[in-house]
Amino acid sequence: MGGRRPKPAALRLLQGNPSRRKVGPEVTAPAELPVAPDYVTGRALAEWEDLGSKLLANGLMTALDTNGLGCLCVAIAALKDAQDAIALTGATYVTSTGFVRPSPHTGMRDRAIKLVAQLSNEFGLTPAARTKVHHEQQPIDDAFERYLKRGPN
């Protein structure tokens, strides 16, 4: 199927809806951060708690996003692990025949960087994605809410 992928409803509401098209079903954010998937451990779990709480506070995290956020957290942890290994062993090594080769950790780091960038964009965490997010207070359009604001008269 061609064309652009649809944006999540929460992201469309934050960015505004200039086309006035139907936004789609509203997915409510959970009251607290969902439990991390079982593959999110160690460094990735620390990222889960940090990023998840920030996304939840901005209304961009739902229970449906657990696997996507889990993958992002694992990719960030892999990036940090690869960078630590490069800092410890160096970016290159010398083979038994005397050739200088790049460390396998540099390839792991580079793949992790690409994955983190791609997944960060999905959650609106890159600078370009953030420029499109505008958090505006929606006007109250509920008759009961108007009654509460104005009173019985």
Side-chain angles (χ1 to χ4, degrees):
M1 191 168 204
R4 291 184 181 180
R5 293 182 306 172
K7 294 178 188 174
L11 193 57
R12 281 195 60 196
L13 288 174
L14 285 174
Q15 290 176 347
N17 190 8
S19 63
R20 305 285 188 240
R21 292 185 189 154
K22 183 178 174 185
V23 175
E26 190 64 35
V27 180
T28 58
E32 58 187 35
L33 187 62
V35 176
D38 56 353
Y39 58 85
V40 178
T41 58
R43 268 187 159 166
L45 190 57
E47 290 294 329
W48 171 271
E49 292 169 1
D50 181 41
L51 278 177
S53 61
K54 290 174 184 173
L55 289 170
L56 189 64
N58 287 309
L60 296 174
M61 174 72 182
T62 67
L64 299 174
D65 299 324
T66 55
N67 281 323
L69 183 60
C71 291
L72 174 59
C73 294
V74 168
I76 291 171
L79 170 61
K80 289 180 177 182
D81 289 343
Q83 190 60 38
D84 287 349
I86 290 170
L88 187 65
T89 61
T92 60
Y93 70 97
V94 179
T95 65
S96 60
T97 57
F99 289 106
V100 176
R101 296 275 192 201
S103 169
H105 299 292
T106 58
M108 297 161 119
R109 180 198 58 197
D110 294 345
R111 284 189 299 276
I113 287 172
K114 287 180 184 178
L115 188 57
V116 167
Q118 180 183 9
L119 291 171
S120 294
N121 194 34
E122 294 293 325
F123 282 97
L125 299 175
T126 61
R130 268 196 314 274
T131 60
K132 299 174 186 173
V133 176
H134 305 289
H135 186 63
E136 298 177 9
Q137 187 71 11
Q138 298 294 326
I140 297 171
D141 195 50
D142 186 354
F144 183 68
E145 289 294 328
R146 286 195 308 261
Y147 171 79
L148 289 177
K149 278 200 158 264
R150 154 175 97 220
N153 293 334

